[in-house]
Amino acid sequence: TVIAYIASGLANGKSLFNATEIANDAAGIAVGKFGTSIVNENDLLDSSQFKKLCTLEEVFFEIKKKVNKKIGFTNGCFDLLHPGHLKLLKKAKSFADVLIVGINSDSSVRVLKGEGRPVVNQEDRLVILACLKIVDFVIIFEEETPLNLIKCISPSVLVKGGDYKLSEIVGGEQV
């Protein structure tokens, strides 16, 4: 299981560290099962710290289980995670029962920030954010703005940093 997950992770562009982390989680699941067994992605999502879900369909399925919960949304590149990001995420979670974080894809970050960015690739940014207890779901979006994602999710609360004017917040009118 360990070798298979490390090989798969490396083949899919993950860092050795990230692939090893996932392989370790998978091995923990495998030894907890009776007899010979396989470990699939759902096992990892159900049992590990990787609570992130990458597709809207999966997020909606999980949110439907949490009926009558206030859904919060925030977004950004989160390329170089810093204390300001953590403060924003903590504040966003204080307004919501379920916090969904949209992150710009690598190509979207390049358009916004220029060549040489992102410093941290989208898969690693997704894992880092997903490991935070205050974050319930992380979704990568390809566009420059998360407007389509906001329209699909229809959150109760939209949170952005204090450096934004209300009129500048994408999705503000919809929420």
Side-chain angles (χ1 to χ4, degrees), residues 78-174:
F78 297 99
D79 186 17
L80 298 170
L81 196 64
H82 56 73
H85 288 132
L86 298 175
K87 185 177 177 182
L88 169 75
L89 294 168
K90 184 176 178 185
K91 189 70 170 177
K93 181 64 175 186
S94 75
F95 295 122
D97 299 307
V98 177
L99 178 60
I100 302 170
V101 178
I103 64 169
N104 295 75
S105 68
D106 288 348
S107 60
S108 174
V109 172
R110 272 189 288 286
V111 169
L112 294 170
K113 305 277 186 179
E115 282 304 313
R117 298 290 295 273
V119 175
V120 179
N121 70 47
Q122 66 190 30
E123 289 82 15
D124 288 346
R125 289 183 284 129
L126 185 131
V127 169
I128 290 166
L129 288 169
C131 288
L132 299 174
K133 287 185 178 189
I134 54 178
V135 174
D136 296 295
F137 301 102
V138 184
I139 302 174
I140 298 171
F141 62 94
E142 295 290 333
E143 302 85 7
E144 270 186 59
T145 74
L147 185 59
N148 290 331
L149 186 56
I150 291 168
K151 287 178 179 178
C152 288
I153 294 171
S154 191
S156 312
V157 179
L158 178 61
V159 180
K160 288 297 285 181
D163 52 341
Y164 284 86
K165 294 178 185 166
L166 195 55
S167 62
E168 297 174 334
I169 299 175
V170 171
E173 290 180 19
Q174 288 73 17

Side-chain angles (χ1 to χ4, degrees), residues 3-140:
I3 292 169
Y5 268 91
I6 289 175
S8 175
L10 293 174
N12 285 296
K14 298 201 179 307
S15 69
L16 179 59
F17 179 80
N18 189 322
T20 304
E21 271 188 325
I22 295 168
N24 187 52
D25 284 348
I29 294 165
V31 299
K33 292 184 174 189
F34 181 75
T36 303
S37 62
I38 60 167
V39 177
N40 61 41
E41 187 176 347
N42 289 333
D43 294 328
L44 284 168
L45 287 172
D46 289 343
S47 69
S48 77
Q49 62 190 336
F50 299 100
K51 57 191 179 275
K52 70 7 180 159
L53 295 171
C54 300
T55 67
L56 277 177
E57 293 79 18
E58 291 169 314
V59 170
F60 286 138
F61 177 76
E62 290 298 316
I63 289 173
K64 283 180 185 176
K65 293 182 192 175
K66 300 170 181 9
V67 178
N68 297 323
K69 300 289 184 181
K70 189 180 281 188
I71 307 300
F73 180 84
T74 192
N75 69 282
C77 297
F78 297 99
D79 186 17
L80 298 170
L81 196 64
H82 56 73
H85 288 132
L86 298 175
K87 185 177 177 182
L88 169 75
L89 294 168
K90 184 176 178 185
K91 189 70 170 177
K93 181 64 175 186
S94 75
F95 295 122
D97 299 307
V98 177
L99 178 60
I100 302 170
V101 178
I103 64 169
N104 295 75
S105 68
D106 288 348
S107 60
S108 174
V109 172
R110 272 189 288 286
V111 169
L112 294 170
K113 305 277 186 179
E115 282 304 313
R117 298 290 295 273
V119 175
V120 179
N121 70 47
Q122 66 190 30
E123 289 82 15
D124 288 346
R125 289 183 284 129
L126 185 131
V127 169
I128 290 166
L129 288 169
C131 288
L132 299 174
K133 287 185 178 189
I134 54 178
V135 174
D136 296 295
F137 301 102
V138 184
I139 302 174
I140 298 171

